[in-house]
Amino acid sequence: MQTIMRSTDWLESLLAERTRTFVDEFGSFYAWLEGSYGGDTLLLWMNKSVLEEALPQLPRHFKGRLVLGLDASEDHQAPFARALYWANPRRALVVQKGEGLGIGYPGRKEVAEGEWVPWDDPREARQLEVVLRPEFSYHELRAYAPWEAPAPAPLPTIEGPQVGAVGWERGIPTYGLGLVGLEKNLEALLGVWRMR
């Protein structure tokens, strides 16, 4: 039987050799990157498919801790909520397509597969059962609440991540961060948050 490696497996292995790592029950991979003393913990949440592009753009020098969280789902709320638990961050950034800072999401719900409508009554949203392994599955309510926050830095803005409300509801400032120009924009945010 041939084992097929995902494109990020080699990067996850490399991170596991050099830092503390962990895989949770949702299949999310975490790597704790330690900076110098004196900063906060920042969760940098991204889909596993963008790790190869994002990793070279991460800062080499920072204060505190960056927790890379690699999402194995399709931007579901349940794995992101669990990531907030495991990382216990002061702030969270969700890496997404585009360039700039995501400071709000209008709210949407999926009423049928592929049919998204504006947010109003989340009880009408599609309930998706995600089976990860025979012994573990979870339900994802396909309703993503609206949220909006002031920009912490003067960066171009884009629509924020659909899971952003999950962080804000827990008191964790959560923003989107575009993959294009990630290095420059992340450095600007780290400066504002005194993590540089």
Side-chain angles (χ1 to χ4, degrees), residues 51-71:
L51 175 63
E52 195 166 358
E53 190 175 347
L55 196 57
Q57 296 189 64
L58 298 184
R60 309 278 186 278
H61 306 286
F62 56 91
K63 292 180 184 176
R65 174 181 295 139
L66 291 181
V67 179
L68 293 182
L70 304 182
D71 183 12

Side-chain angles (χ1 to χ4, degrees), residues 86-147:
W86 288 120
N88 192 24
R90 170 70 182 93
R91 295 175 187 84
L93 292 172
V94 179
V95 177
Q96 55 189 70
K97 293 179 182 175
E99 180 177 10
L101 182 66
I103 59 170
Y105 181 77
R108 292 186 186 95
K109 65 183 179 184
E110 187 180 35
V111 291
E113 189 171 350
E115 184 183 346
W116 291 88
V117 297
W119 170 272
D120 54 8
D121 186 354
R123 294 174 297 180
E124 299 168 356
R126 175 177 173 234
Q127 183 88 332
L128 177 67
E129 182 178 11
V130 181
V131 180
L132 296 176
R133 298 176 297 285
E135 70 279 3
F136 184 78
S137 65
Y138 66 93
H139 292 276
E140 176 75 9
L141 181 64
R142 303 289 281 164
Y144 300 93
W147 64 272

Side-chain angles (χ1 to χ4, degrees), residues 2-193:
Q2 182 181 8
T3 303
I4 299 173
M5 287 186 70
R6 296 183 326 258
S7 63
T8 60
D9 283 350
W10 71 275
L11 283 171
E12 291 175 24
S13 295
L14 183 65
L15 286 167
E17 289 174 10
R18 297 168 187 251
T19 187
R20 183 170 63 108
T21 60
F22 171 71
V23 177
D24 73 10
E25 64 272 29
F26 291 97
S28 303
F29 176 90
Y30 302 88
W32 278 259
L33 307 178
E34 301 292 340
S36 62
Y37 181 75
D40 292 324
T41 298
L42 173 67
L43 172 63
L44 199 57
W45 183 250
M46 65 187 77
N47 191 284
K48 287 187 177 203
S49 64
V50 302
L51 175 63
E52 195 166 358
E53 190 175 347
L55 196 57
Q57 296 189 64
L58 298 184
R60 309 278 186 278
H61 306 286
F62 56 91
K63 292 180 184 176
R65 174 181 295 139
L66 291 181
V67 179
L68 293 182
L70 304 182
D71 183 12
S73 78
E74 298 175 10
D75 301 321
H76 291 174
Q77 295 177 90
F80 182 65
R82 196 62 171 157
L84 295 174
Y85 168 80
W86 288 120
N88 192 24
R90 170 70 182 93
R91 295 175 187 84
L93 292 172
V94 179
V95 177
Q96 55 189 70
K97 293 179 182 175
E99 180 177 10
L101 182 66
I103 59 170
Y105 181 77
R108 292 186 186 95
K109 65 183 179 184
E110 187 180 35
V111 291
E113 189 171 350
E115 184 183 346
W116 291 88
V117 297
W119 170 272
D120 54 8
D121 186 354
R123 294 174 297 180
E124 299 168 356
R126 175 177 173 234
Q127 183 88 332
L128 177 67
E129 182 178 11
V130 181
V131 180
L132 296 176
R133 298 176 297 285
E135 70 279 3
F136 184 78
S137 65
Y138 66 93
H139 292 276
E140 176 75 9
L141 181 64
R142 303 289 281 164
Y144 300 93
W147 64 272
E148 191 170 351
L155 298 172
T157 59
I158 56 176
E159 181 175 281
Q162 64 187 21
V163 298
V166 175
W168 287 102
E169 288 167 1
R170 287 164 174 74
I172 299 169
T174 303
Y175 300 93
L177 192 59
L179 191 55
V180 177
L182 176 69
E183 182 174 14
K184 174 182 62 115
N185 293 333
L186 182 55
E187 286 286 348
L189 290 171
L190 292 178
V192 168
W193 293 331

